[in-house]
Amino acid sequence: MAKKLFVKTYGCQMNAYDSARMADLLAPQGYGVAAAAEEADMVILNTCHIREKAAEKVYSELGRLRALKQNRRATGHDLVIAVAGCVAQAEGEEVRRRAPWVDLVVGPQAFHRLPELLAGVRTGAGAAIDTDFPAAAKFDHLPEEAGGRGPSVFLTVQEGCDKFCSFCVVPYTRGAEYSRPVADVTAEAERLLAGGCREITLLGQNVNAYHGAGPDGPDGRPWGLASLIRHLAGLEGLSRLRYTTSHPLDMEAELIAAHAEVPALMPYLHLPVQSGSDAVLAAMGRRHRAEDYLRLVERLRAARPDLAISGDFIVGFPGESDADFAATITLVREVGYASAYSFKYSARPGTPAADLEGQLPEALKIARLAELQNLLDAQQLAFNRSCEGRRLEVLLERPGRQPGQLVGRSPYMQAVHLPAPSQLLGKVVNVTIERGMANSLAARLADPHDELGADAA
Ligand code: SAH
Ligand code: SF4
Ligand code: F3S
């Protein structure tokens, strides 16, 4: 009988990409996809270590899986439990100690070895840990990705980070920056497009630092992200390109120009700033001032006036004063975000900021986060309302919650739902926005004549 695999994904889009690749790896071992842990023979938790809460979630899920495994064993079956991702990398031994029922622990750069590790579990060799590092090896050992990923797909082009922001675990869990060669990325993009995808989001922890080997082989000049984007934009079948996440320091002139010149590059940019205070930015090791970020946003908007900007913020960083926090609020007002993510600072073991003096009380962090989120929510709602009455192109990605409804994304990353026949799934259509709400837009199909035109896009 066919076995089933359930992968539960935490954290960022890079984990989502890795989860899909893990399923590709285990398919030849006879594993189909299960909809829930209860139906699976193997469960992989693909974990995130970015904040304490994210990491703790994993241990509570492991508690639940232990009970499931015990029930399974009582009926003469088994459940293989694997922990992958950034918690595995950062605290693999701790996982084994706190959850000895885990069968294997595999880091983000070593998951191409899952089949081998699994074979070891089957022969009763005992629990396996593999948290080896170089990212290059992984990409060379992954099988071709299976089709059927849907109209909008992620494609990891860069991994790891050399920035070492003082609060962040990523350089430790994902290792040094590595960029995949242009030829590999192109081949993967072509296969995804042949499988019916229309939109590709290029992923990297620091994606705009991309510098992959050019197509002339290892001796060729490396390409920056702008060149990669221009190249991919010419592939047959591609309608839309996006990339995430970018660091303000690596936003080069050529990449800004691509926003003006490449029609497939969508007018949305996730550009985290973290704080509007120069003192906090310096303590975070971000290596730019608030003013630099504001000038950068100006240059981007000069290139693409309708660019929707999104960001990440941390409130309650050690030593953050009322004035520092007020500077963040001022920056947010100046930029006007279309969407944003904001977090309370979480001290991460092993990062420099965890040892700084001036750690702030939880109540203060909660209050600042609420104030910032109120402002960001209001900006997002205002942006969504400003779209009312506009005609926008939407890539229809999946059925909506109501019967007869499809859901997709606008060029600006907004979720859009509208009544539409299911034949339009996977197509880019013209819609008219009827209502802008807090987290989505309601729309109707524009003139049917436009629909045909958009489909050819
Ligand atoms: N590479 C991206 C960020 C990856 S982590 C970048 O450089 O912007 C995603 C977001 O999590 C970060 O932008 C930051 O806002 C938040 N984050 C990271 N470490 C954190 C910590 N210790 N506490 C709270 N939020 C954190
Ligand atoms: Fe973390 Fe900074 Fe690297 Fe982003 S740039 S992944 S916040 S260290
Ligand atoms: Fe989390 Fe690792 Fe991504 S820590 S945010 S899953 S890189």
Side-chain angles (χ1 to χ4, degrees):
M1 231 175 62
K3 289 166 293 187
K4 286 201 160 172
L5 169 70
F6 180 66
V7 188
K8 183 159 182 172
T9 309
Y10 302 82
C12 61
Q13 290 109 326
M14 309 209 40
N15 263 10
Y17 173 86
D18 288 350
S19 291
R21 302 313 310 268
M22 289 177 202
D24 292 339
L25 265 170
L26 292 174
Q29 313 272 315
Y31 281 92
V33 174
E38 284 68 19
E39 297 164 17
D41 304 278
M42 175 168 185
V43 174
I44 303 176
L45 301 184
N46 195 12
T47 62
C48 174
H49 202 247
I50 201 84
R51 286 167 290 274
E52 192 180 348
K53 234 188 187 166
E56 281 309 311
K57 266 190 209 158
V58 173
Y59 291 102
S60 55
E61 184 64 17
L62 283 173
R64 211 174 67 82
L65 291 178
R66 177 194 205 174
L68 201 60
K69 189 176 176 104
Q70 281 166 345
N71 290 344
R72 208 59 74 73
R73 286 202 162 156
T75 62
H77 296 86
D78 198 10
L79 175 68
V80 177
I81 303 176
V83 176
C86 291
V87 174
Q89 189 65 46
E91 45 185 82
E93 292 296 343
E94 174 88 353
V95 169
R96 293 272 305 281
R97 194 181 59 75
R98 286 177 65 176
W101 55 94
V102 166
D103 297 292
L104 45 104
V105 174
V106 66
Q109 274 73 250
F111 72 76
H112 57 287
R113 300 208 194 108
L114 266 172
E116 279 166 59
L117 296 170
L118 188 58
V121 171
R122 286 216 196 91
T123 56
I129 286 204
D130 194 337
T131 48
D132 254 14
F133 237 52
K138 171 178 77 181
F139 289 107
D140 289 343
H141 289 91
L142 290 176
E144 285 193 5
E145 54 299 315
R149 294 254 209 278
S152 176
V153 299
F154 294 137
L155 200 177
T156 294
V157 301
Q158 182 275 332
E159 279 228 34
C161 184
D162 297 340
K163 292 278 189 295
F164 288 92
C165 300
S166 64
F167 51 83
C168 183
V169 296
V170 169
Y172 311 96
T173 63
R174 295 273 174 168
E177 262 178 27
Y178 167 75
S179 296
R180 296 177 68 189
V182 171
D184 288 9
V185 172
T186 307
E188 186 164 334
E190 283 171 341
R191 287 192 298 267
L192 291 165
L193 291 166
C197 104
R198 305 295 301 273
E199 173 177 274
I200 297 181
T201 302
L202 306 176
L203 296 182
Q205 265 90 19
N206 207 345
V207 74
N208 58 343
Y210 176 85
H211 55 275
D216 305 327
D219 301 328
R221 270 164 50 97
W223 281 22
L225 188 65
S227 305
L228 183 69
I229 285 171
R230 287 178 197 273
H231 175 63
L232 296 177
L235 295 183
E236 192 175 331
L238 185 94
S239 303
R240 295 174 152 195
L241 271 176
R242 303 179 186 275
Y243 61 95
T244 198
T245 293
S246 296
H247 191 293
L249 272 190
D250 296 313
M251 210 66 221
E252 286 171 1
E254 239 195 291
L255 187 54
I256 297 175
H259 279 278
E261 294 159 14
V262 181
L265 186 58
M266 290 291 102
Y268 167 90
L269 180 65
H270 186 62
L271 192 64
V273 65
Q274 315 298 355
S275 169
S277 151
D278 289 341
V280 173
L281 286 170
M284 286 177 164
R286 295 288 291 183
R287 293 187 268 157
H288 64 78
R289 299 163 307 159
E291 187 63 21
D292 303 320
Y293 181 85
L294 292 170
R295 294 295 80 81
L296 178 58
V297 167
E298 254 172 29
R299 286 168 61 208
L300 281 157
R301 285 186 167 146
R304 179 81 207 222
D306 65 337
L307 188 73
I309 297 199
S310 147
D312 287 345
F313 296 89
I314 295 177
V315 301
F317 188 80
E320 184 188 66
S321 66
D322 285 340
D324 291 324
F325 177 64
T328 298
I329 296 288
T330 303
L331 178 139
V332 170
R333 288 194 199 284
E334 281 190 44
V335 172
Y337 284 90
S339 71
Y341 303 88
S342 45
F343 312 98
K344 289 179 289 180
Y345 170 71
S346 169
R348 306 308 289 130
T351 60
D355 299 325
L356 287 177
E357 282 175 22
Q359 303 283 332
L360 298 183
E362 187 64 12
L364 185 60
K365 293 187 201 175
I366 292 174
R368 285 182 183 168
L369 187 66
E371 185 181 338
L372 176 61
Q373 287 185 339
N374 272 338
L375 175 59
L376 290 167
D377 287 350
Q379 291 191 341
Q380 182 171 323
L381 180 62
F383 178 65
N384 289 348
R385 286 207 176 131
S386 75
C387 296
E388 288 177 359
R390 282 187 66 187
R391 287 156 77 93
L392 297 177
E393 286 190 350
V394 172
L395 171 60
L396 295 170
E397 294 177 32
R398 57 178 184 281
R401 262 186 245 144
Q402 320 285 341
Q405 194 182 58
L406 298 182
V407 188
R409 294 209 176 257
S410 77
Y412 310 109
M413 261 320 255
Q414 297 146 297
V416 183
H417 52 85
L418 59 145
S422 56
Q423 305 90 277
L424 291 181
L425 261 184
K427 299 201 155 85
V428 178
V429 297
N430 277 316
V431 309
T432 303
I433 305 303
E434 295 186 317
R435 217 156 84 82
M437 292 156 290
N439 294 306
S440 64
L441 305 177
R444 64 182 146 78
L445 282 173
D447 195 309
H449 299 295
D450 294 331
E451 207 180 288
L452 298 172
D455 185 24

